[in-house]
């Protein structure tokens, strides 16, 4: 940086988010490891998973009932001869190779539909009498049957590279016989809290000191995003030691610094990053909380200078640091999306900033409501602990009326 004006870029929320997403799109992690399937929960696929056979591998019944030729039910009630039964997992080699006119076979959910049958009648619409069944409801061809290969054909991609493995993805990989799976290595994330007022959590703080909560909240968020947190010692408001700890943090895949990014005399993070010839993408975002957020790159590693107030730290991680961490973990890019709920009470704010305010989401189904949690500013950890979401207020709004729809970001 040759001019301070080159560095001092305060962007709107949308602009800052777009910058982060653009940088995240440039990341292509390469380090991988092979894990047992259940050990890979939450990890990101480094190689696509393909179907090793058709899914389902046979026409599958979706209901308990009777496999029939739908044409045999043109006149109701219909009386058909029951010639056997097929259970799930059974190979029906004791049955005729083809179902004939006037015949039916009892079938269970998940069982293979016999040749000649083109539908399954639910057992609720039948009455069994000796070797015959009376059917009172007709069916269309294909009803209550999943055709062979309807979910995927052999060789089709089931899970793309870059997919985070959740419960459904694990189940799909299991269905393809993948007991082991190739995933990307967890990115290492250095977390550095700064400030002479910060002490370790097991210390006895003086009346003017506070315990280091930010490193621990960030560690939880990093783990939730698929990273491996590395907590550094608290950095004092002294350039030499701060520089040394930042240099150590730059050995990790991502560096998160909390505090020291405002305009105070002892806010030294930007100064030290400048000495390390950091490239700054922005040095502020028009949001509350979290306006003095810094995003840059030094020695080939991305760096976030997050505000020191606890709620600001949590919010800015989710809005800006998480996309970079997702990309470092190998995850395909994704856009930020908000839910919506009605305002339970009136909301009043000042215009000019996009606001992410601690709130409580209540109700169920389509009747969901949001109400702000009373708070004493972005240092009020107790308020954010009571909240289960954030109300998102656009910068051009000063008042949200009762019952008006409000964007919501879940915690």
């Amino acid at each position: 940086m040759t001019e301070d004006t080159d560095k001092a870029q305060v962007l709107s929320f949308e602009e800052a988010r777009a910058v982060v997403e653009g940088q995240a799109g440039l990341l292509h992690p390469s380090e991988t490891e092979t894990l047992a399937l259940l050990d890979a929960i939450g990890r990101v696929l480094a190689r696509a998973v393909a179907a090793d056979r058709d899914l389902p591998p046979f026409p599958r019944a979706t209901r308990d009932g009777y496999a029939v030729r739908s044409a045999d039910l043109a006149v109701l009630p219909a009386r058909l001869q029951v010639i056997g039964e097929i259970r799930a997992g059974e190979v029906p080699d004791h049955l005729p190779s083809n179902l004939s006119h006037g015949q039916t076979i009892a079938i269970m959910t998940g069982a293979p539909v016999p040749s000649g049958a083109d539908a399954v009648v639910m057992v609720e619409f039948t009455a069994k009498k000796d070797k015959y069944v009376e059917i009172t409801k007709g069916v269309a061809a294909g009803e209550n049957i999943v055709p062979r290969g309807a979910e995927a054909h052999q060789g089709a991609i089931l899970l793309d590279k870059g997919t985070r493995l959740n419960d459904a993805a694990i189940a799909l990989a299991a269905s393809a016989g993948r007991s082991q799976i190739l995933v990307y290595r967890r990115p290492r994330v250095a977390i550095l809290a700064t400030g002479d007022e910060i002490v370790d959590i097991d210390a006895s703080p003086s009346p003017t000191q506070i315990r280091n909560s930010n490193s621990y909240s960030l560690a939880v968020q990093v783990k939730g995003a698929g990273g491996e947190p590395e907590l550094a010692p608290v950095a004092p408001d002294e350039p030499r030691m701060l520089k040394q700890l930042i240099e150590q943090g730059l050995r990790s895949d991502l560096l998160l610094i909390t505090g020291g990014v405002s305009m105070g005399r002892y806010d030294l993070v930007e100064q030290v990053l400048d000495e390390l010839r950091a490239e700054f993408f922005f040095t502020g975002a028009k949001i509350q909380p979290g306006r003095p957020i810094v995003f840059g790159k030094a020695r080939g590693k991305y760096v976030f200078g997050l505000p020191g107030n606890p709620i600001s730290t949590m919010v800015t991680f989710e809005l800006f640091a998480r996309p970079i961490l997702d990309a470092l973990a190998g995850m395909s890019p994704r856009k930020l999306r908000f839910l919506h709920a009605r305002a339970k009470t009136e909301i009043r704010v000042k215009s000019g900033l996009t606001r992410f305010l601690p709130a409580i989401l209540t109700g169920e189904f389509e009747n969901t409501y949001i109400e702000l949690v009373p708070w004493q500013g972005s240092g009020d950890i107790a308020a954010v602990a009571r909240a289960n979401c954030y109300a998102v207020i656009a910068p051009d709004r000063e008042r949200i009326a009762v019952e008006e729809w409000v964007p919501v970001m879940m915690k």
Side-chain angles (χ1 to χ4, degrees):
M1 296 292 157
T2 56
E3 298 289 341
D4 189 64
T5 54
D6 292 337
K7 173 165 69 76
Q9 300 180 61
V10 179
L11 306 181
S12 70
F13 164 62
E14 292 80 5
E15 290 170 336
R17 176 76 187 196
V19 168
V20 169
E21 289 179 355
Q23 292 299 313
L26 302 176
L27 291 169
H28 302 286
S30 58
E31 294 187 39
T32 62
E33 56 184 330
T34 299
L35 297 178
L37 186 58
L38 285 181
D39 291 336
I41 296 170
R43 302 293 285 273
V44 178
L45 271 179
R47 181 186 297 147
V49 173
D52 64 337
R53 60 177 182 164
D54 289 346
L55 294 177
F58 50 80
R60 185 181 67 214
T62 62
R63 296 286 189 274
D64 291 341
Y66 291 86
V68 300
R69 294 157 49 101
S70 58
D72 286 346
L73 306 185
V75 178
L76 296 173
R79 187 169 181 267
L80 303 179
Q81 181 186 8
V82 181
I83 63 170
E85 178 184 88
I86 305 176
R87 296 171 295 172
E90 182 180 19
V91 179
D93 54 6
H94 60 288
L95 296 173
S97 60
N98 196 63
L99 194 67
S100 299
H101 170 68
Q103 295 179 331
T104 185
I105 296 176
I107 195 166
M108 308 302 159
T109 300
V113 177
S115 177
D118 64 359
V120 171
V121 177
M122 294 171 61
V123 71
E124 291 89 337
F125 305 109
T126 67
K128 181 103 170 10
K129 297 178 181 178
D130 298 325
K131 293 183 179 181
Y132 292 86
V133 63
E134 185 176 275
I135 298 174
T136 59
K137 183 177 185 297
V139 287
E143 192 167 338
N144 299 322
I145 296 175
V146 178
R148 175 174 178 163
E151 298 168 7
H153 289 292
Q154 183 177 2
I157 298 300
L158 301 177
L159 296 169
D160 287 320
K161 176 182 176 180
T163 299
R164 191 178 292 282
L165 293 166
N166 59 14
D167 51 352
I170 291 290
L172 198 52
S175 73
R178 302 294 291 273
S179 61
Q180 293 191 318
I181 205 155
L182 187 71
V183 297
Y184 289 108
R185 175 183 62 81
R186 290 185 185 273
R188 295 176 295 109
V189 182
I191 299 173
L192 174 60
T194 71
D196 289 338
E197 76 280 15
I198 307 296
V199 297
D200 290 332
I201 60 172
D202 56 357
S204 297
S206 73
T208 59
Q209 292 178 316
I210 57 175
R211 292 188 177 94
N212 176 19
S213 65
N214 285 344
S215 290
Y216 291 87
S217 66
L218 280 175
V220 173
Q221 289 177 292
V222 166
K223 282 191 173 183
E228 198 67 50
E230 299 176 341
L231 274 59
V234 175
D237 292 322
E238 189 277 310
R240 184 185 60 82
M241 183 58 70
L242 177 60
K243 183 178 180 181
Q244 180 179 329
L245 289 170
I246 287 177
E247 287 178 320
Q248 291 175 4
L250 290 172
R251 297 170 188 165
S252 298
D253 300 302
L254 175 65
L255 172 59
L256 304 178
I257 306 170
T258 68
V261 293
S262 296
M263 300 298 291
R265 179 180 176 184
Y266 297 103
D267 292 323
L268 305 173
V269 168
E270 286 185 58
Q271 172 189 320
V272 171
L273 289 174
D274 223 12
E275 292 176 9
L276 294 171
R277 299 184 179 277
E279 175 186 6
F280 291 87
F281 302 114
F282 56 79
T283 57
K286 296 176 183 178
I287 63 173
Q288 184 211 18
R291 183 184 174 103
I293 168 97
V294 172
F295 175 42
K297 195 172 188 180
R299 297 185 177 177
K301 304 294 179 64
Y302 286 104
V303 182
F304 284 94
L306 308 178
N309 283 327
I311 300 180
S312 299
T313 300
M314 297 177 201
V315 169
T316 51
F317 174 88
E318 289 298 329
L319 296 178
F320 302 116
R322 183 158 189 146
I324 295 295
L325 182 50
D326 281 343
L328 287 168
M331 192 170 176
S332 300
R334 59 179 177 173
K335 296 293 184 181
L336 181 63
R337 294 181 176 90
F338 300 135
L339 306 178
H340 284 78
R342 290 186 175 92
K344 189 174 184 179
T345 57
E346 182 184 59
I347 299 174
R348 287 188 175 272
V349 296
K350 292 181 180 179
S351 61
L353 300 175
T354 303
R355 301 180 191 274
F356 298 84
L357 306 179
I360 295 177
L361 188 69
T362 57
E364 62 178 351
F365 306 126
E366 69 276 11
N367 297 312
T368 53
Y369 287 86
I370 191 170
E371 184 175 20
L372 298 187
V373 173
W375 65 320
Q376 305 303 315
S378 56
D380 190 348
I381 307 176
V384 77
R386 293 194 299 272
N388 60 14
C389 65
Y390 298 96
V392 184
I393 313 299
D396 59 346
R397 300 298 302 274
E398 294 184 342
R399 176 180 177 271
I400 306 294
V402 175
E403 294 288 332
E404 187 174 347
W405 289 98
V406 181
V408 177
M409 183 175 78
M410 298 305 297
K411 288 177 58 182

